[in-house]
Amino acid sequence: MSTPSMNQNEISSELLNRMISRVSTVMVGKEAEIRLVLISMLSRGHILLEDVPGVGKTLLVRAIAACMGGSFGRIQFTYDLMPSDITGISIYHSHSGLFEFKAGPILSNVVLADEINRASPRTQSALLEAMEEKKVTVDGTTYPLPRPFTLLATQNPLQFEGTYRLPEAQLDRFLMRISLGYPTPEQEMEMLSRMQMTHPLERVRPVIMVEEMEVMQREVQSVFVDDSIKQLLVTVAAESRHHPKLHLGISPRGTLAWMVASQAAAYMNGRMYVTPDDIKETAIAVLSHRMVVQSHNRLEDVTGEEVVLELISRISMSPQRSRSGRRS
């Protein structure tokens, strides 16, 4: 017999699956990527969507925001964008002699940082405090961000003109990096049919309110992680730090992010305990962008994704559940 907490988990899992279905009416054939975005949001994490222009990165973020009942802010990153354009600015009123804070778009529940690597490193750094500490400081005054808060940034590949490389410290603050890829011919045909008369985004209505998402985020923290699962995470992280193809392995923050993402994956599956399948599902999206491949290996087209798959394949991941993994 299920406990009340498990019944609530099942209700939340149903809501999350409805949100995947609703966003899928806009993004054809991207259920796995949508699921990863929701896992990241449940983990209170931020997402970097990296791919070529035109595959639907911005559309995905807009669809996710439309399915949430909270506020939405969009920042179009350009070479001349200033930090105050992100955080906001204090405006002086001469008639009252007082300053009034005009909030920037970062003070929203869901924030789209579009083409984040087209702005200078100085402007990109304005996001660091918001991403890490959930607050912004303007003219010496600190303003808390609304809860829940999620930043979804899009990025074009570095070989595109006018792009800047994100520093490793900023990359490490993104819980996941996700690539959408091109649709199949069948999916592209379906997309053309759906958008022939009206844009499907116009029909999207909220599925989950911000208050419900905040409750789910707290429940994710209660998902049980057995010591055997933690040992798998630590083993993979330690192996990465001595891997011959890597200049930089997984940081302790990366290991923690992997565990939290695995808890959220389990929660989305209606479970209150983590299994090896959960850590496998989240491994590439959480870990690959935190690794720096040796320069001579990059010339041979070695990628972080390949190294993650290699590390995972080395570790024995038993599908058996922990005795204490079930909460009754």
Side-chain angles (χ1 to χ4, degrees):
M1 182 175 178
S2 297
T3 64
S5 61
M6 287 299 290
N7 287 333
Q8 181 59 46
N9 179 221
E10 291 169 0
I11 293 171
S12 299
S13 180
E14 175 63 25
L15 275 175
L16 292 164
N17 284 321
R18 282 176 54 194
M19 190 166 174
I20 292 175
S21 299
R22 189 70 57 86
V23 177
S24 295
T25 63
V26 179
M27 296 295 299
V28 180
K30 301 299 178 184
E31 289 81 3
E33 290 79 7
I34 297 167
R35 177 181 164 84
L36 286 173
V37 170
L38 291 184
I39 287 173
S40 187
M41 294 179 74
L42 287 170
S43 308
R44 294 188 172 96
H46 310 293
I47 305 103
L48 181 63
L49 298 169
E50 184 180 64
D51 219 318
V52 296
V55 295
K57 302 186 296 296
T58 301
L59 183 60
L60 172 59
V61 180
R62 291 175 61 198
I64 291 286
C67 287
M68 293 274 292
S71 55
F72 173 65
R74 175 173 179 170
I75 309 166
Q76 183 64 54
F77 279 68
T78 57
Y79 73 94
D80 57 350
L81 187 75
M82 300 296 291
S84 59
D85 297 326
I86 298 172
T87 60
I89 191 170
S90 295
I91 301 175
Y92 180 71
H93 294 282
S94 58
H95 61 278
S96 63
L98 299 175
F99 284 91
E100 178 189 1
F101 176 62
K102 181 176 176 58
I106 195 69
L107 279 90
S108 307
N109 293 115
V110 179
V111 176
L112 166 61
D114 212 0
E115 297 187 301
I116 187 174
N117 60 334
R118 289 197 180 278
S120 67
R122 177 171 178 264
T123 300
Q124 290 172 13
S125 68
L127 295 174
L128 294 181
E129 183 183 23
M131 294 172 69
E132 186 69 17
E133 302 179 32
K134 306 296 190 294
K135 63 182 181 180
V136 294
T137 302
V138 179
D139 295 332
T141 303
T142 299
Y143 302 91
L145 299 181
R147 295 192 178 190
F149 168 73
T150 301
L151 176 77
L152 296 102
T154 69
Q155 174 174 268
N156 295 322
L158 287 176
Q159 60 267 32
F160 278 64
E161 186 175 353
T163 59
Y164 297 84
R165 180 181 294 276
L166 296 183
E168 284 77 10
Q170 188 170 354
L171 277 175
D172 202 37
R173 283 172 170 79
F174 284 101
L175 181 74
M176 293 186 179
R177 182 180 65 182
I178 302 170
S179 177
L180 297 179
Y182 287 113
T184 66
E186 294 76 17
Q187 291 168 350
E188 199 160 4
M189 284 288 292
E190 177 66 20
M191 179 197 71
L192 294 177
S193 298
R194 291 186 187 184
M195 295 190 177
Q196 184 172 355
M197 300 299 294
T198 60
H199 200 294
L201 190 62
E202 299 173 2
R203 300 189 295 271
V204 174
R205 296 294 179 268
V207 176
I208 297 176
M209 298 295 103
V210 289
E211 297 82 6
E212 292 173 309
M213 177 59 74
E214 196 169 3
V215 169
M216 293 179 191
Q217 289 175 338
R218 289 196 297 267
E219 290 179 341
V220 164
Q221 293 178 300
S222 301
V223 173
F224 178 78
V225 186
D226 190 72
D227 284 347
S228 62
I229 296 291
K230 294 175 184 175
Q231 186 60 57
L232 290 174
L233 305 178
V234 170
T235 300
V236 171
E239 288 279 336
S240 74
R241 294 164 195 164
H242 305 286
H243 197 286
K245 294 180 181 178
L246 296 179
H247 175 69
L248 189 66
I250 302 165
S251 67
R253 177 163 50 196
T255 312
L256 178 60
W258 192 14
M259 183 185 75
V260 175
S262 300
Q263 288 176 285
Y267 184 83
M268 283 197 68
N269 287 324
R271 281 184 281 101
M272 293 299 288
Y273 58 91
V274 175
T275 69
D277 285 339
D278 299 319
I279 67 176
K280 287 180 184 177
E281 179 184 5
T282 54
I284 290 179
V286 173
L287 302 179
S288 61
H289 65 288
R290 302 173 190 274
M291 301 174 171
V292 177
V293 178
Q294 295 277 15
S295 56
H296 61 276
N297 290 117
R298 285 202 301 269
L299 295 174
E300 298 173 0
D301 294 328
V302 175
T303 64
E305 289 84 352
E306 293 173 2
V307 176
V308 172
L309 289 173
E310 179 190 334
L311 290 169
I312 293 296
S313 66
R314 288 185 191 176
I315 308 301
S316 174
M317 295 190 179
S318 170
Q320 294 180 350
R321 296 170 182 168
S322 164
R323 290 194 304 273
S324 55
R326 292 181 180 274
R327 291 205 160 187
S328 56

